[in-house]
Amino acid sequence: MIASVLPTYNRAPLTFVKGESSWLIEADGRRFLDLGAGIAVNALGHAHPKLVAALTEQAGALWHTSNLYHIPKQQELADKLVAHTFADTVFFTNSGTESCELAVKMARKHFFDAGQPERTDIIAFEGSFHGRSSAGIAAAGSEKMTKGFGPLLPGFKHLGWGDHDALDAAIDDKTAAILIEPIQGEGGIRPLPDQCLRGLRALCDEKGILLILDEVQCGVGRTGRLFAHEWAGVTPDIMMVAKGIGGGFPLGAVLATEAAASGMTAGTHGSTYGGNPLGCAVGCAVMDIVTDPDFLPEVSRKAGLMRQKLEGLVAAHPQVFEAVRGAGLMLGLKCKAPNLDVVNAGYAALIVTVPAADNVIRLLPPLTLTDDEITESITRLDRAASAIETA
Ligand SMILES: Cc1ncc(COP(=O)(O)O)c(C=O)c1O
């Protein structure tokens, strides 16, 4: 008999009932160090007092009206995002997938309105992940996600990661945009080198097409900058955001330049819950914290410490680990042992990590992780690796 919860997940035998900063408490009382943060969602850890206060204050005032009316917290959050990024305008969603939908629609509408309706194609990349909607799976293109769900949304081309020659050849007069994650998350923590991102920007400018960045996983401070593309010194035309921006409350956004968003006039897009008062109140609190001038340098400092210790861990366990990869606190351990074995050994050592493709485990801790917790993470990962070696 089918489970009452549709069985689309292989869940670990863990039931967390409480969260405290970087810690998750299991129903049986065990305390797990959380290096998954709900897959890069709990960017400020669990139950951050400022986020709890923002949410409860808004909950006591007003939960929902509709985008038929002005929503003060939505306006405030949009203003903050515009002030701190390349963007001129923001649409709020409830998830990364929903942000993907709008990013694709926005790019197509941009060219439709510009008198180039044939420009509908989006160039995306092997190993990418953009969500589970029809546009999201078509964008990622992998058989794992698309098999059985055809006919797929047309208009997506897929290129190999780092295949520069194919990229140049793939752009034609039907191309609307390039869609890429600055650091692939699900794909195994694969960073796009800064010079490649700069090259993509230049190529888009040369060909007159749009650059869409998916910063759903790597954005909102995770790499030590507010958004990962800032390291390369270039900006996109459209950017997908979600996960960290809500700190655990479902919230996403599409950020865009005025030119890219020009086709999105009244009536062209909408969302019942997108930009609701609760999500935006939390989003404002998240933005206030991550844009504090001391916050991101501290993320980078801790990321350096973590990386240094992880290099030592890899060197100490060459049968289990192969290399450290990633940027900031979006780190991956490329494994020699099967990555699921490492994740499971981590559970036994009371540490939560997240598997990814390419036999990688992801370390996406709360950005508020302390130095002591970094040391403790290494102790627990070391215990997990030793358990695999002696198994
Ligand atoms: C890069 C990226 N894009 C899009 C998504 C989809 O986001 P959501 O699960 O919030 O719909 C994810 C989720 O993991 C992601 O990592």
Side-chain angles (χ1 to χ4, degrees), residues 39 95-98 129-131 181 186 214 216-217 240 242-243:
I39 321 187
S95 67
T97 301
E98 211 186 322
F129 186 81
H130 302 293
E181 295 159 82
E186 306 295 314
D214 181 344
V216 166
Q217 197 163 142
M240 297 156 49
K243 292 190 183 273

Side-chain angles (χ1 to χ4, degrees), residues 127-130 161 179-186 190 192 214:
S128 64
F129 186 81
H130 302 293
W161 187 247
L179 165 60
I180 194 162
E181 295 159 82
I183 303 175
Q184 282 192 347
E186 306 295 314
R190 294 201 290 177
L192 182 69
D214 181 344

Side-chain angles (χ1 to χ4, degrees), residues 86 103-104 106-107 110-111 121-125 167 171 175-182 192 194-215 229-230 232-240 254-257 259-261:
F86 73 96
V104 170
M106 186 183 279
H110 170 84
F111 285 106
D121 282 1
I122 311 283
I123 295 178
F125 295 86
L167 184 60
I171 299 175
T175 309
I178 293 175
L179 165 60
I180 194 162
E181 295 159 82
L192 182 69
D194 287 348
Q195 70 271 21
C196 292
L197 188 48
R198 285 194 284 271
L200 285 181
R201 176 71 274 174
L203 192 61
C204 288
D205 290 343
E206 183 198 323
K207 306 275 185 182
I209 60 173
L210 300 175
L211 178 62
I212 305 174
L213 292 182
D214 181 344
E215 292 231 17
H229 67 263
E230 293 172 26
V234 293
T235 56
D237 300 292
I238 300 173
M239 179 167 72
M240 297 156 49
V254 174
L255 278 62
T257 63

Side-chain angles (χ1 to χ4, degrees), residues 100-110 264 268-270:
C100 178
E101 291 293 320
L102 174 56
V104 170
K105 284 178 69 177
M106 186 183 279
R108 290 177 171 175
K109 187 70 162 45
H110 170 84
M264 304 309 294
T268 54
H269 194 66

